[in-house]
Every structure is written in structure tokens, then in C-alpha cells.
Amino acid sequence: MNAPLRRVGVVAMILFGLLFANLNWVQAYKADEYRNSDYNGRVQVAEYERERGKIVAGGKVLAQSKATNDDLKFQRTYPFKETYAHVIGYKPVNLGDIAVENYENEFLAGTSDSLFGERFRDMWRNSKSPGGNVLLTLSPTAQETAVRELANNNVGATRGAVIALNPRSGAVLAMASMPSFDPNPLVSHSTKAAQAAYDKLLADPKKPLLNRALAETFPPGSTFKVIDSAAALEAGLTAQSELTGGSTYKPPDTSQVIGNAPGVTCPNKITLKQALTVSCNTAFTRLAVEKLGADTLKRKAQDFGFGDGDLRVGQLDDGGVRVAASQTGDIKDPDGTDDLPALAQSAIGQANVRMTPLQGALMAATVANGGSQMRPYLVQVLQGPDLTTNHYTASPRELRRPVDPQVAATLQDMMISVVENGSGRKAQIDGYTVGGKTGTAQAGEGVENHGWFIGFVKKGDEPIAAVAVLLQNAGQGGSAEAARIAGQVMKSITRDRGNG
Amino acid sequence: MTAPAASAPPPAQPGAAPRPRRGGRGRRNAELGLLVLAMVLVAAYGAAVQASMLDTITGTFWVPAAVLFLTFFALHLVVRFLAPHADPALLPAVALLNGLGVGFLRRLDLGGQEAARRVDYPVFAGVGGRQLAWTLISVVLAAALLVVVRDHRMVSRYAYTLGLVGIVLVITPAVLPSSISEVNHAKLWIRFGSFFSIQPGEFAKLALLSFFAYYLVRKREVLSLASKRFLGIDFPRGRDLGPVVAVWALSLLVLVFEKDLGTSLLYFGMFVVTLYIATERVSWLIIGLLLFSGGAFLAYLLGHSIGGPFLNFGQRVDTWLDPFADPYDKGWQLTQSLLGLGTGGLFGTGPGAGQPNLVEEVKNDFIFAGMGEEVGLFGLSALLVIYLLIVARGLRAGLAVRDSFGKLLAGGLSFTLGLQVFVIVGGVSGLIPLTGQTTPFLSAGGSSLMANWLLVAMLLRISDAAGRPAGEGAAGPVRSSGTGSAPMRLHGAPTEVINR
């Protein structure tokens, strides 16, 4: 019986060998994959040993960490829930982090190089100092107004975005995307609950996780006429130059006739300024087809930032959320000549022209800031945990210079006329000069039009804010409602300044 | 003197020769030394856990190890006087596993407490404290077995009784209502109220194995000699297949009605292997393997086609094939186990520094995965080596012991232990479909611990007989002076190897 006993011993060895081999597979070969798996709720507990820094805007704490009795010693909380969700993002245990929580992670977590001194001192203190604080450029009043007015729009839009900038610095004052989400369930220490909350948001057809202000492009509609006007002024026209308008215009090579929006009266002879004020489609399409041409129009759009796929909004020096590139499309026939029907459509922000709400705000800001487009940013100050040392302070810088000051001044004047006499009246603010441009963009067959407003507010010669409002599929009255919302947001910024 | 000693044949291979060994006392001193070493390791593990989880090492870290040492030392004394020639490595190896199990369970208890309260957590509280008590009871049982069973051949006298008891124990949970017998979808239990439950299958395997060994010693000639040759392999006659088919049916019954592949595999593997050791016919292994895999495959197919009692097994196989297909429901346990093992990687996070509590049932079935996160591949490999050592030492006792019953019993017990480790460790690491087995000596729970300590006591008893110099009687003075109840003879069965 000894021979089979020995063989049984060999079998046992083989079985244990299989176990050993399999453990090597799981714990060595697959270890990294498993360790970093989305399903793995284990994190370096060490990351939660240190109190994560706060995210603050205008004195309000938007994100903070509270001590728990868990193994993960701090729980991230977002007291304002939906209001700032797209701006600050979230830092979950098991999911991917986004936005400020993502690109300022090292500083917030206290592991960045600039906080080396703090960590060095910790070695003698027997306690872990918290991470650094991130101070944002956001105006809480403007942000809350933007969120509230978006939600209470009177055209029944359920999706939309607002973004407001300081034209002189590029600082983001408000950035809202509707619908939003509550980031708190996502940072639950129960990874199962967090994943379930995330999956639910992901499955929502209205895409609440999407930051529409930066990450998605829409046809700009008539707001694109600001770029037509800039190109026309640079081509030698003045605000008073006469254009050919009329009730309809049929571009060459197509049977599709371009008309004006209902209620727009556009005489056969109309000045450039008046054409912008009433938003005359026939005048601008004819101008683009007969005078400007596709190359001029495209170049001007690019001067304003179309086609830029590298822009990030966050910290000026390093990191941020990538902004989707706004596009004009090619506007060319296969033989290299202008595709005139497409050019006509592009001039009024249709065809393949698409822009982000941020791009719209940048255009308005450029006009308000005398032709200089400032690089947009959100992070104002990186503050040490001692609350006194500033490890970084944003120094605004120019991104590009799309038009010279004279053209910018004329454009300002024309856009102010839009708000004072034209389609953007609802954006008016008592005691301030407001300029802007409305837009109604066809969103496709069988769906309601998007409503747009891009504009700026000035006190005397000083530009205070530029804003873009988008109401997705808002339908009738969408652009007027967008103008009203923009007015409310800009008003809140002027009040904010008054108080500050 | 005794028949087996007198008719001991010349061993066929030099390795099996009873080599000149150290005397009983030398072996016992070695055992004591190893035992001290094992308990020092357990104490060190406890200290490491405290350092990690309490940030300090309290004055009580050594208490569980000391209690365990006293317990095992008592057993050592029993062995010293009643089984002086027993294998000196068995007791310390098992004690080490048992001790680490207690330590890990205590670590899980601490993990369940709020961080601030851990320092005050009582030494004997929780699952760890209960496991300590179970260890005490198990060791008392093991000592009792050594006291009562002075010669392992004595067991064969009760073989039929044991066989009957074994079958009753196996079947009881299957026929009891689920409310009493089902825990975590496996009907393996008998619950007395809510606080106490036993797993009769753990004891059944000892009883059944004793019966198998006795039965096969009696039948081995007919089973091994009467055969037909087919494809160069000797196949048994149809009528001799009876008992094999009966056990196969029994194990499939277990699979279906107790919803447990592991126990089923364990019984069947246990029987086939003892059959093989007894008959030296490879054909039994092939028949057994075909029958089992055929049965399991059929159960899998039935699970998908008709469901019912096979559904659970079908799902388990699906989970095994792709654990990440349903990571939050059916695959939750296995994926968390794999992720824990992967997170541990080569060296583990260190005792107390992982998050084993994220794995469900980490106290029982998944204890190996829980430990794997903290001790890593290297630690788990060491644990596997200890198991292998126990199996090898058991088989070695079987090789060296002089009677057939002892050989079969030792071989069967050791292999069963090894197979159980294979089934559960293979299950939690994704090598084979997961089943609800306990991990011998590590898992929380009295039944498993008691049964496995009884198994070890039996191996100690057999190894004592094996190590005893030829001619010396069974354990000393208690031996009967040749009355009718002399335990040496097995009801007329030949007690020695006949053919080699």
C-alpha cells in the first residue's frame, strides 16, 4: 500500500502546487489590475489619515472633510450639494475623481511638493496636518443665481448651462450646468452605495454628470453674428455701412431660402449695427456669401478661440478641466471652393458650427475687454493649511487678441444696441451698460430650438462680467429667456461687487 | 507479540524503512521547542496587529498566545505520556495555524470596532475570544481521543457503527427544513436557536473515513484482483462497483440537496483515494474522476435548464467562470476576495493594515483571502507549506505504520485535510468554483475546529504506532494483557500488506 500512498502524496503536492500557481496569478500577475479595479473599495487608508483641504469660494466652504470613526478617518462632504457639483467635482473612495477635486488633488491631499514643509514638521508633531485649501474665483451669489434662474426658466427647458467670466482677468465667476447632481452619495465610504449612486447618474438620459458649460458643443445660432460683424469691420465696413437685407435670401447653388425669425423686420437696406440689433439673417448670410467668404469667417472664428482643443479651465499654470473644441466645420466643397449654401448657414451659426457656452462667454468677454481675450481660470489661491501662506496666486494672462481695440469698441457699441433696442432687451440692468447677442439655434429635425444669450455688463468704461446662457431645446422664447437669466446673473455680480 | 509487528515485510523502498529515530523523549522535546516557536510567532502577529490598528502595543498583546500555549502545552503533555513516539511536527504546525486563526479573528473583531474604542476591546471578547474557547474545547477533545483510543486499530471495531453515524450526519441537514439547516445558501448546518449551530458534515468525514478504511481493508483483495483489462487498465467487475456508485450517489445528493459542491467533492475524493490506496488500481481514480466531473457537469447543465435544486450550483459555476460579470450581486464575494488578494500582492499590507472586513464571510469561508490581503503571497505560501507539512507528515505516518487499516486511515485523513484546503483555498482564489468549506484550523467555528483537531489526534495516534520501535506494544501500561478484546486483530482481516 505504500506505493499508492506515495502517489497520493504526489497528488497532494500537485494540488498545492496548483494553489500556489493560482495565488501567484492572483497576487502577483493580476495584482495591479485588482488593486486598481473600479470594484475595489480598498484604498490606501493613508489617504484618509490626513484631513483633506477645503475648497472655498467667496468665504463659503464648498467642500470639506469631517472626522469619522471609520477606518477611513475623514468623510468628504459637499454642503451645497448640487449647486457647485460641476465646478468642484468629487473625490470618491472607489470611483474616479473629477474637476477641482481631481486637478488639485495633490494640494488638497497634502502630498504636493509645495506642502513639503508641512509634512516635514509633522514628523515632530506626532499628528498629521491637514491638506491645503483651494480658493476659487467663483462668486457664490452669481453661482446660486445662475443655478436658481436656470431651474426656474419660464420656457420649460430641463437642460442648459450658464457661465460667467470676469472679462478683465478671465476669472470664472459662475459655472452651472442643468441638470446637476448631489456629489455626496458618490463619496460615501460604502463603496457599494457610491457605485450604485454613480451608476444611477450614469444611466440618467439627461446626463446630469455632464458639465454642459465646458464639455459639450451646441450650434450657436445668431450669437455667431458677433464673429460675422468682427470680420466685416476688419474687412473695412463700419457700423453704419449699408447691407442688403430683405425678408428672404436665396444663396447660390441651393433652393433653400433663408428667411428671418418670426417678428424680425429687416428692410432691404439696413446698417450693420441695425442688422445685429434686430438679428437680420438675410443681411448676414448675404454679407458672408457675397463679401467675406468662408476663409475669412473661419479665420475670425479661430481668432476668437474656435478650434482650440487644448484649453483647460482650472489653475492657470497647471491642470484643469479640458474644454471641448468649438468648431466651424470646413465650409468647403470637395474642389476647394466655398460651399456657399453651407457658408450662408454657418454665418448664422448653423450647418457644422458648434460652440461651448464657455466659448460664447469668451467672445462676449473679449469684446468687453477691448479685444483682449483673457485665459479663463477657476483657482485663485492655493492656501497652506496654516491659512496664511499662499503657495500660489493666479496672475491673469492674455490668451489671445482676436480683434483690435477699435473693432472691439464698435462691436461693444453694436451689442449694447442689441440689449437697448433689439432682441436682448430682457438683459438690461438699471444703472449699468449691458451688451449682448441672442441666438436661436435649430437643434435638429423634430426637436425644439436652443435658446442662447451671450453678453457683458459694464460700469462706465469698466467691464464687470461676461456671461453665456444656453437653454437646450427651449423652443419659442428661449433666447429672450436666456437674456433674462443672463441679466439676473450679471446683476448678482454687480451687487456682489457693491457689497465686496 | 502482535501479528503486524511480527509479520512486517521488508519494505520495498528504502524510504519506507523504519529508520533508526530519536527516542520518544527527543521527539517530544523537539515538539515542545517547535510549539514555543509557533506561539512566539502568534504573539508577534498579535503585536503587529496592535501596532497597526491601535497605533500602540498594549501590555496584553501576548495574552491570547499565552492562553493558547498553555492549552497546547497540556496537549503536548498528553502526547508525551500517551503517544510518545508520535510525529513531533504535527502538533506545532497545527497549533501555529490555529493560533494565527485566533489572532486574525481578533484582528477582524478590532476592525469592526470604532478606531477610538479598539484599545479598550476586551482580550476574550468577540469572535476571536470565542475561537479561543473553541480551541480549548477542541484540544480537550483531541486529548480525550488520545486517552480513549490507545491503539488506532481499536476504531475498526466500531466501523459499521461509525459508517451509519457518518451517513446520518451527512443526511441530517439535507432533510431538515432550511430554516434550521441553511446558512448562506448551503444546507450544511443544524442550528440550535440563534447562537449555536454545528456542521455535522465536519464530523461525518471522520466517521465515514473510518468506515471506508475498514471496509476496504476487508474488500481490497476482491476489488483489486477481480478485474477486466481494457485499454491496458484494469477495470473492476460491475458488481464490485456497488459501493463506489453508492458513495457517488451520496455525494451528488449532498451536492444537490445541501447545495454544496465542496463537501460533495470532499466525500467523493476521500472515498476514491482510500479506494485507490487500498487496491492500487489507477482505474478507480479514473472512474472516480469521470463520475464526479460528469456529475458536476450534468448538475451545471441542469442548473441552467431546469434550475430548482441545481440552480445554486449553476450560478456558482457562472460566477467562477466570470466573477466580474455581476460584481455587486452574485459575484460580490468572489470579486471582493480576489481584489483583496490582489491588493495584498506579494508582501501584503502588513497585519492589521488591510481591509479584510470588506470581504463578506471573511471569518469563515474567506479567511484565507482576508489573511492574504495582509500577509501577501509570501505569507499565504508559508501557510500553504504548513498545511502541506501536516498532510505530508500524516501520509508519512501512513507509510510507516505497519497495519493496513492504519495506512488507509492515515492516508485518507491526511489527503482529506489537503483536499479540503484545496477546495476552499482554490474556491476563494478563483481556481475552482467557490464552495462553502471551512479552512481547517483557521476559520471561525467550533465544528470545524473540533473535527479537525480530532483528525490530528488520530494522525498523532497512528504516527505514534508508526514511530514505535517494532515489538513494543501500544501505549504502555494500559495495554490489555491479551484478553479477548485485544485490539490488534481486525475481525479476521489480514492486517498486513499482502502484495506489493
Side-chain angles (χ1 to χ4, degrees), chain A residues 17 72 114 133 197 293 350 352 422 432 460:
Chain A
L72 304 183
S114 57
N133 303 316
Q350 298 287 164
N352 292 320
Y432 291 85

Side-chain angles (χ1 to χ4, degrees), chain B residues 151-342:
Chain B
D151 186 321
H152 60 274
R153 285 165 295 182
M154 196 178 119
V155 174
S156 66
R157 275 194 276 158
Y158 307 100
Y160 281 102
T161 317
L162 286 170
L164 187 66
V165 168
I167 288 175
V168 169
L169 287 175
V170 170
I171 291 178
T172 313
V175 298
L176 283 174
S178 294
S179 59
I180 299 179
S181 64
E182 186 159 328
V183 174
N184 294 327
H185 306 299
K187 283 186 66 159
L188 290 173
W189 300 78
I190 304 176
R191 289 210 296 221
F192 303 95
S194 58
F195 63 99
F196 180 67
S197 55
I198 65 165
Q199 239 178 322
E202 294 283 353
F203 299 97
K205 70 185 179 198
L206 297 180
L208 284 176
L209 199 66
S210 306
F211 168 71
F212 289 167
Y214 171 74
Y215 175 83
L216 292 171
V217 165
R218 296 204 58 183
K219 292 282 183 186
R220 54 190 295 258
E221 282 167 82
V222 67
L223 287 170
S224 60
L225 294 179
S227 59
K228 290 176 195 153
R229 229 177 146 73
F230 179 65
L231 291 175
I233 299 167
D234 290 319
F235 283 94
R237 294 179 304 180
R239 62 182 141 166
D240 297 324
L241 280 170
V244 189
V245 173
V247 176
W248 175 70
L250 184 73
S251 63
L252 281 190
L253 215 67
V254 169
L255 172 63
V256 173
F257 290 100
E258 306 191 354
K259 303 178 188 174
D260 194 72
L261 175 72
T263 310
S264 163
L265 179 61
L266 206 59
Y267 291 157
F268 196 63
M270 184 167 93
F271 182 68
V272 167
V273 163
T274 41
L275 195 58
Y276 167 66
I277 298 172
T279 61
E280 303 187 23
R281 287 281 173 270
V282 183
S283 57
W284 285 117
L285 289 182
I286 295 170
I287 292 170
L289 209 62
L290 286 177
L291 278 177
F292 188 83
S293 46
F297 187 64
L298 190 69
Y300 172 67
L301 290 181
L302 287 174
H304 278 276
S305 54
I306 63 166
F310 302 99
L311 187 63
N312 181 274
F313 178 64
Q315 287 174 350
R316 279 181 186 239
V317 174
D318 289 338
T319 301
W320 167 63
L321 290 174
D322 186 3
F324 289 92
D326 187 9
Y328 289 100
D329 188 18
K330 296 194 186 73
W332 174 253
Q333 289 190 333
L334 184 57
T335 50
Q336 289 306 311
S337 169
L338 289 175
L339 297 176
L341 285 169

Side-chain angles (χ1 to χ4, degrees), chain A residues 9 18 39 41 56 66 68 160 176 178 247 277 303 330 343 365 371 405 470:
Chain A
L18 286 173
Y39 304 116
V56 182
K66 289 184 171 159
T68 67
M178 174 176 77
S247 58
T277 306
D303 287 347
D330 204 27
L343 177 56
L470 165 73

Side-chain angles (χ1 to χ4, degrees), chain A residues 55-68:
Chain A
I55 301 177
V56 182
K60 285 198 175 178
V61 177
L62 311 182
Q64 59 186 323
S65 285
K66 289 184 171 159
T68 67

Side-chain angles (χ1 to χ4, degrees), chain A residues 25-42, chain B residues 322-324 335 338-343 345:
Chain A
W25 172 257
V26 171
Q27 295 202 277
Y29 183 77
K30 300 274 267 184
D32 277 341
E33 182 187 329
Y34 285 154
R35 202 173 289 135
N36 302 319
S37 163
D38 286 345
Y39 304 116
N40 195 345
R42 291 165 196 78
Chain B
D322 186 3
F324 289 92
T335 50
L338 289 175
L339 297 176
L341 285 169
T343 306

Side-chain angles (χ1 to χ4, degrees), chain A residues 41-59:
Chain A
R42 291 165 196 78
V43 284
Q44 295 304 321
V45 180
E47 199 177 354
Y48 284 78
E49 294 271 295
R50 190 191 295 280
E51 182 184 347
R52 191 173 172 85
K54 297 182 176 71
I55 301 177
V56 182

